[in-house]
């Protein structure tokens, strides 16, 4: 099937119009007309080969929402017209221990990313997967998710990455009523962490270096704001948190945050995928604290998250852009100049070249 999208052909080249082929639906496939696609910072890192060498041409996008246009003969969960989503994964081995537990994101034989991964299914001239900055996509039914119809589909798109990245650790560590939860960093991930923790019944504290973000944090649902540069406030908060969700995207000293935890408290890293600058054993040892990491969720948990969002009317705070403005949006994302996620209106693909 012919597809139109935006791609880059090198680490230094801007994204621009690109025509390519999607596979025809197999019996277990779902064909989707993409309506919206969020911009994740991972898109930018990969487009610019900042996480290792990227295979070009490269079509980003793994926060996809659209309508089903056709289904294969073996598809049972979807029909034409359904509102659906596709997140970071489009395939996994399906038989390892993790896959059998519905934890495809930890597939022991390597999952297939929505973009930039070796295309193990084939059916097109290209050898690597192309993402959602395009007008259509074909995906195995198992990796397609149902989007609640009561949600704004554009604002639901980033739930497929930013949403599940924050929901998964909160659910795994059983965050809920009676707990004091800190969300460190107010950005694309952090603002979703605040919304989810609040909806789960926790007492939510936004922890940020910027006093200017306090009002926004409270609007999002934070009960309190703790300024991490305020030594006196940090000292007063020591040992008072049950759980910390750390969304800081770069390496940093974790000790000041670890000291905020109660005995047996946990801090989960979801933002930094680079070395932490300092980790001292003392805050762990003397209070039996834990520091852990968490990826996205598997397909069952991602659907659970979307259903939770439907029940609580939770979506991302977004700024909608035309496809032709994607390169400027990349630069603004790098500068942190967005509240809190860009989403591309794919109808604007028809507007012509950049």
């Amino acid at each position: 099937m012919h597809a139109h999208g935006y791609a880059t052909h090198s680490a230094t080249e801007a994204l621009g119009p690109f025509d390519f082929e999607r596979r025809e639906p197999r019996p277990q496939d779902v064909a989707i007309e993409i309506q919206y696609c969020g911009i994740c910072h991972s898109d930018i890192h990969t487009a610019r080969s900042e996480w290792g060498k990227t295979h070009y041409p490269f079509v980003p996008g793994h926060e996809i929402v659209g309508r089903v246009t056709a289904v294969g003969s073996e598809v049972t969960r979807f029909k034409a017209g359904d509102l659906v989503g596709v997140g970071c994964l489009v395939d996994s081995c399906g038989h390892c221990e993790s896959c059998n537990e519905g934890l495809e994101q930890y597939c022991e034989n390597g999952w297939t990313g929505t973009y930039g991964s070796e295309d193990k299914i084939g059916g097109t001239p290209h050898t690597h997967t192309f993402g959602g900055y395009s007008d259509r996509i074909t995906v195995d039914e198992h990796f397609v998710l149902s989007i609640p119809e009561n949600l704004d589909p554009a604002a639901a798109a980033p739930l497929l990455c930013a949403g599940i990245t924050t929901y998964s650790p909160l659910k795994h560590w059983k965050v809920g009523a009676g707990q004091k939860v800190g969300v460190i960093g107010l950005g694309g991930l952090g603002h979703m962490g605040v919304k989810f923790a609040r909806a789960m019944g926790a007492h939510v504290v936004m922890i940020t270096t910027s006093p200017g973000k306090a009002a926004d944090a409270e609007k999002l649902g934070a009960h309190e704001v703790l300024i991490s540069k305020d030594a006196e406030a940090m000292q007063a908060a020591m040992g008072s948190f049950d759980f910390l969700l750390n969304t800081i995207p770069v390496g940093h000293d974790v000790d000041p945050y670890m000291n905020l935890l109660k005995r047996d408290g946990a801090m989960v890293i979801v933002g930094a995928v680079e070395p932490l600058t300092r980790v001292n054993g003392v805050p762990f040892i003397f209070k039996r604290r834990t520091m852990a990491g968490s990826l996205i969720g598997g397909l069952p948990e991602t659907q659970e998250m979307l259903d939770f969002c439907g029940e609580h009317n939770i979506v991302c705070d977004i700024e909608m852009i035309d496809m032709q403005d994607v390169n400027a949006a990349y630069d603004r994302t790098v500068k942190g100049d967005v509240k809190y996620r860009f989403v591309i209106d794919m109808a604007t693909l028809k507007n012509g070249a950049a």
Side-chain angles (χ1 to χ4, degrees), residues 274-308:
E274 57 185 62
L276 299 170
T277 58
R278 183 166 178 251
V279 180
N280 187 334
V282 171
F284 298 85
I285 294 168
F286 283 86
K287 291 289 185 179
R288 202 165 59 189
R289 297 167 173 135
T290 301
M291 183 170 70
S294 180
L295 196 58
I296 56 171
L299 275 299
E301 187 175 55
T302 305
Q303 187 61 63
E304 175 190 301
M305 178 269 303
L306 290 167
D307 295 340
F308 182 88

Side-chain angles (χ1 to χ4, degrees), residues 25-292:
R26 303 171 302 159
Q28 63 270 44
D29 280 341
V30 177
I32 302 165
E33 179 185 4
I34 300 174
Q35 296 177 326
Y36 304 101
C37 188
I39 294 178
C40 176
H41 213 130
S42 300
D43 301 351
I44 303 171
H45 288 306
T46 310
R48 297 176 178 177
S49 286
E50 293 172 348
W51 287 347
K53 185 171 175 56
T54 295
H55 186 278
Y56 298 100
F58 171 69
V59 179
H62 60 202
E63 298 177 345
I64 299 166
V65 169
R67 294 279 178 185
V68 175
T69 57
V71 298
S73 59
E74 297 176 7
V75 172
T76 60
R77 293 170 45 231
F78 302 101
K79 65 183 185 305
D82 285 351
L83 184 66
V84 296
V86 178
C88 302
L89 313 180
V90 291
D91 199 10
S92 69
C93 82
H95 56 75
C96 70
E97 183 177 356
S98 292
C99 285
N100 286 335
E101 293 180 23
L103 299 171
E104 296 89 350
Q105 76 276 30
Y106 300 121
C107 176
E108 286 126 49
N109 296 302
W111 44 264
T112 300
T114 305
Y115 57 65
S117 287
E118 180 186 353
D119 188 349
K120 297 176 183 177
I121 296 174
T124 61
H126 50 83
T127 60
H128 285 68
T129 53
F130 288 154
Y133 293 11
S134 57
D135 56 2
R136 64 177 63 192
I137 193 168
T138 305
V139 182
D140 187 295
E141 175 185 26
H142 181 74
F143 295 87
V144 179
L145 298 145
S146 179
I147 305 294
E149 289 280 357
N150 64 301
L151 298 180
D152 174 354
L159 295 175
L160 279 306
C161 181
I164 188 57
T165 297
T166 50
Y167 180 90
S168 185
L170 291 169
K171 197 68 191 295
H172 181 76
W173 272 269
K174 298 179 173 59
V175 164
Q179 292 184 319
K180 184 178 178 181
V181 172
V183 178
I184 306 170
L186 184 57
L189 295 177
H191 94 287
M192 290 308 305
V194 170
K195 291 186 179 190
F196 283 137
R198 177 68 183 249
M200 291 173 178
H203 181 87
V204 184
V205 181
M206 167 51 59
I207 304 172
T208 177
T209 59
S210 306
K213 292 184 177 181
D216 282 349
E218 290 169 355
K219 287 178 184 176
L220 292 165
H223 296 91
E224 300 178 48
V225 177
L226 173 60
I227 306 303
S228 57
K229 290 182 177 180
D230 184 336
E232 186 175 332
M234 290 287 283
Q235 178 67 29
M238 283 181 61
S240 66
F241 286 83
D242 297 283
F243 181 86
L244 295 172
L245 183 69
N246 188 333
T247 75
I248 298 173
V250 295
H252 58 281
D253 180 0
V254 301
D255 284 359
Y257 302 110
M258 291 301 297
N259 284 319
L260 295 174
L261 290 169
K262 296 178 179 178
R263 171 181 51 80
D264 293 325
M267 178 169 73
V268 178
I269 307 289
V270 295
V273 290
E274 57 185 62
L276 299 170
T277 58
R278 183 166 178 251
V279 180
N280 187 334
V282 171
F284 298 85
I285 294 168
F286 283 86
K287 291 289 185 179
R288 202 165 59 189
R289 297 167 173 135
T290 301
M291 183 170 70

Side-chain angles (χ1 to χ4, degrees), residues 2-6 16-19 33-36 69 133-136 321-325 344-354:
H2 182 73
H4 179 58
Y6 262 47
F18 179 62
D19 292 320
E33 179 185 4
I34 300 174
Q35 296 177 326
Y36 304 101
T69 57
Y133 293 11
S134 57
D135 56 2
R136 64 177 63 192
I321 63 164
D322 291 355
M323 186 75 255
Q324 293 74 24
D325 296 326
I344 306 165
D345 179 357
M346 283 304 157
T348 62
L349 266 173
K350 302 172 184 176
N351 292 348

